[in-house]
Amino acid sequence: MSTVLITGCSSGFGLETARLFLHKGWHVIASMRVPDPQLLPASDRLRILPLDITDPASIAALVEQAGPIDVLVNNAGVGAPVPVELTPVETTRALFETNTFGTLAMTQAFLPQFRARRGGVVINVTSSVTLKALPLVGVYSASKAAVNAFTASLAVEMAPFDVRVRLVLPGRSPETRFGANAQPFLNGLDHPAYADFIGRTIAGMRSSSGPMTHASDVAEAVWRAATDPSAPLRIAAGADAEACMAEAGGAG
């Protein structure tokens, strides 16, 4: 029976993905900063392990505890809806530390066992905002675009070892903690030149009646990436992401 390790399982996409893989009969290792056994149904196929993807010691401990796995899903991430001009260097570093460097570190930690075994799947969850420019997410988008870039190269590098590498790109979603997780980055960033613009933009995002991405869309896209060898490198998750990908020139 196959084993999947999923990061960022305390809410949203990661939590729903863990639920789906459990429902499909897989062994699931769900990682989160503060493990909460009440988030997922009790199962002898489930392990919930602590992980801070910005801490090398935490990653090393997870690798040892997890043992051999078949699929790695790098889902953990953080966002900050801030205009590029107002984004402090510290915030930029924090976003890249988690979204880019943390994802890269996790990938590097598990590639040796995949390569030695000549099998395995790496799935990096990024965002459709890397395909279509939107306000307030410039630096966040940059941190995710960097993951798109190294993942595309990694897919070519791992092909001779029969290791599949895929990207899942969700669109806008009401089912994440993006806003709550971003609040620490927003404190003290009041700026009269941007106040009205930020307010209107955020209000527009919240009231939009257009296509959205649901956590179940992401879980299904990850499932496809994990189980379908013919799946393309980039897989859109949700109607919003599919529209962005179509505008950007399609999947593949």
Side-chain angles (χ1 to χ4, degrees):
M1 190 177 297
S2 298
T3 299
V4 60
L5 190 156
I6 308 164
T7 69
C9 288
S10 62
S11 65
F13 302 155
L15 181 58
E16 188 65 23
T17 300
R19 288 171 176 160
L20 177 63
F21 276 80
L22 278 173
H23 177 72
K24 297 285 190 179
W26 281 47
H27 287 283
V28 173
I29 302 172
S31 73
M32 55 192 76
R33 284 178 179 268
V34 181
D36 184 350
Q38 297 182 353
L39 292 174
L40 288 159
S43 171
D44 58 3
R45 292 181 285 103
L46 171 67
R47 283 187 286 164
I48 300 177
L49 298 179
L51 174 66
D52 177 353
I53 65 172
T54 68
D55 181 357
S58 181
I59 293 175
L62 178 75
V63 171
E64 183 174 352
Q65 290 178 282
I69 66 171
D70 300 286
V71 176
L72 169 65
V73 180
N74 285 311
N75 165 75
V78 65
V82 186
V84 172
E85 181 186 353
L86 303 186
T87 306
V89 172
E90 294 78 10
T91 297
T92 299
R93 289 193 177 112
L95 291 175
F96 273 83
E97 194 67 42
T98 296
N99 297 341
T100 309
F101 304 144
T103 296
L104 178 59
M106 281 293 294
T107 301
Q108 292 174 328
F110 283 93
L111 283 177
Q113 64 166 270
F114 289 168
R115 182 170 41 76
R117 197 167 65 239
R118 300 190 70 87
V121 186
V122 176
I123 303 167
N124 291 334
V125 179
T126 60
S127 174
S128 66
V129 300
T130 60
L131 305 176
K132 181 178 180 179
L134 292 175
L136 306 187
V137 291
V139 176
Y140 167 80
S141 178
S143 70
K144 290 292 191 176
V147 178
N148 288 355
F150 80 67
T151 302
S153 291
L154 182 65
V156 178
E157 295 169 354
M158 288 293 105
F161 302 103
D162 297 322
V163 176
R164 301 201 311 275
V165 180
R166 299 290 184 266
L167 282 161
V168 168
L169 287 78
R172 296 174 303 146
S173 175
E175 300 168 19
T176 71
R177 289 182 179 172
F178 187 93
N181 291 341
Q183 195 56 50
F185 298 110
L186 299 177
N187 294 334
L189 286 182
D190 294 333
H191 194 291
Y194 282 99
D196 289 343
F197 175 77
I198 292 173
R200 290 196 309 270
T201 301
I202 292 178
M205 290 178 177
R206 288 173 175 169
S207 63
S208 174
S209 58
M212 302 288 280
T213 291
H214 298 284
S216 58
D217 297 325
V218 179
E220 291 290 348
V222 172
W223 174 257
R224 180 187 176 195
T227 60
D228 181 2
S230 67
L233 170 64
R234 300 171 184 86
I235 303 172
D240 182 46
E242 290 170 0
C244 286
M245 190 169 287
E247 289 181 25

